[in-house]
Amino acid sequence: MPLNIPGILAPFQLLRNPRLVIPHLTVKDIRQIDFLALRNAGYRGAVFDKDNCLTIPYKDPLVPELEDAWRECREAFGEGNILIVSNSAGTKFDAGGIQAESVSYHLSVPVLRHDTLKPGYSCIASIRAYFSSLRVPISDGELVVVGDRIFTDVIMANRMHAPSASSSSDMSARVRIGGPLAILTDGVWQKESMVMRWVEKSLVDAVRKWARNGEISSVDTNVFVRELPCPEPHKTGSALTKLMDLMKRR
């Protein structure tokens, strides 16, 4: 893993604005996100992290359990309005952009090519340049940013907040937020950096306690969350399920 200078420096900014670490919404994984509700609320594009958010770390295919949710996301926003922003694929450490091409092939959406790692301001500028170049440009306030790390994904999303981030004049949720909706996925598909994840969670809990209400906006984000789908019985592999299936056949 390359040395992430922007990520190392990010905590120093928290001395001035600790609320940068607080996500607007926390879910276990993207299956809990109601993408159609987000689209109906005015969000038109999405930025996703890759490792442990959509894929197993250091692998390019989508986690199989996320197939339905990922298809729903692409249908809601359109494949060109979804961007993978990784600190591995698409960076200067991705020789020849080979991994970026592989990730784009497996996930059916573009991968950002960028030289500065998240949550660097140059990376933010590259994200803005991409969405501004679309046939129908997408502003910061029309984006959701989804990732599994506080010091990269959440801080990056919150750094993009500005009162004038959205050009829309309506009173939708995105206008009140003034920037991207930061969504944290706290489920881990494969354990990695668990000590750092514990540090991040402890920091978020401390900042929420300090802020008393634990919120960085007045938006009711619960409307964008749904229950995780129940596992299908034939996939549980339990002895009880197998016994019930056998009795039914008799």
Side-chain angles (χ1 to χ4, degrees):
M1 177 65 69
L3 185 64
N4 185 355
I5 300 300
I8 294 173
L9 296 178
F12 292 98
Q13 189 180 9
L14 303 182
L15 298 174
R16 180 171 57 87
N17 186 7
R19 287 181 174 84
L20 284 174
V21 300
I22 302 180
H24 295 100
L25 181 61
T26 300
V27 297
K28 182 174 178 60
D29 58 58
I30 69 168
R31 291 175 295 178
Q32 281 193 278
I33 303 174
D34 191 332
F35 294 106
L36 184 58
L38 286 168
R39 183 68 178 85
N40 291 338
Y43 293 98
R44 299 178 44 238
V47 173
F48 280 87
D49 183 37
K50 184 184 85 70
D51 293 339
N52 257 328
C53 180
L54 298 175
T55 73
I56 298 295
Y58 314 112
K59 303 292 184 181
D60 299 340
L62 182 73
V63 173
E65 290 86 344
L66 302 180
E67 288 180 359
D68 291 342
W70 187 236
R71 180 171 57 252
E72 179 186 319
C73 176
R74 300 195 328 266
E75 290 174 352
F77 295 128
E79 293 179 351
N81 292 347
I82 301 172
L83 188 64
I84 303 298
V85 182
S86 168
N87 273 354
S88 53
T91 68
K92 60 185 177 181
F93 304 102
D94 179 11
I98 295 175
Q99 188 183 10
E101 292 293 337
S102 176
V103 172
S104 182
Y105 169 78
H106 283 97
L107 301 184
S108 302
V109 298
V111 175
L112 181 70
R113 308 300 178 93
H114 57 111
D115 293 331
T116 302
L117 301 182
K118 298 180 293 183
Y121 286 102
S122 293
C123 181
I124 290 174
S126 298
I127 293 171
R128 285 172 169 156
Y130 173 82
F131 285 105
S132 296
S133 70
L134 298 177
R135 183 177 60 84
V136 180
I138 296 175
S139 67
D140 291 356
E142 296 173 310
L143 289 173
V144 295
V145 177
V146 186
D148 68 310
R149 301 308 301 268
I150 296 293
F151 288 160
T152 54
D153 305 303
V154 173
I155 287 182
M156 182 182 72
N158 287 333
R159 278 179 170 180
M160 298 171 72
H161 282 216
S164 60
S166 176
S167 60
S168 174
S169 60
D170 61 50
M171 293 302 293
S172 67
R174 68 176 187 274
V175 174
R176 294 197 302 274
I177 289 177
L181 186 74
I183 302 179
L184 176 70
T185 59
D186 62 3
V188 178
W189 294 103
Q190 179 175 295
K191 291 184 177 182
E192 63 160 3
S193 306
M194 299 310 292
V195 172
M196 182 56 67
R197 290 177 187 275
W198 178 84
V199 170
E200 291 180 345
K201 182 181 184 302
S202 299
L203 178 61
V204 171
D205 291 343
V207 172
R208 279 183 168 146
K209 184 177 180 180
W210 168 78
R212 293 184 180 179
N213 62 1
E215 301 290 342
I216 59 175
S217 76
S218 60
V219 179
D220 180 14
T221 55
N222 290 328
V223 298
F224 304 134
V225 181
R226 57 190 175 192
E227 295 294 326
L228 278 173
C230 295
E232 297 180 21
H234 69 275
K235 292 183 179 180
T236 61
S238 68
L240 178 61
T241 301
K242 292 179 180 178
L243 178 59
M244 291 176 64
D245 288 342
L246 181 60
M247 292 176 64
K248 288 179 181 178
R249 292 193 187 101
R250 292 181 177 179

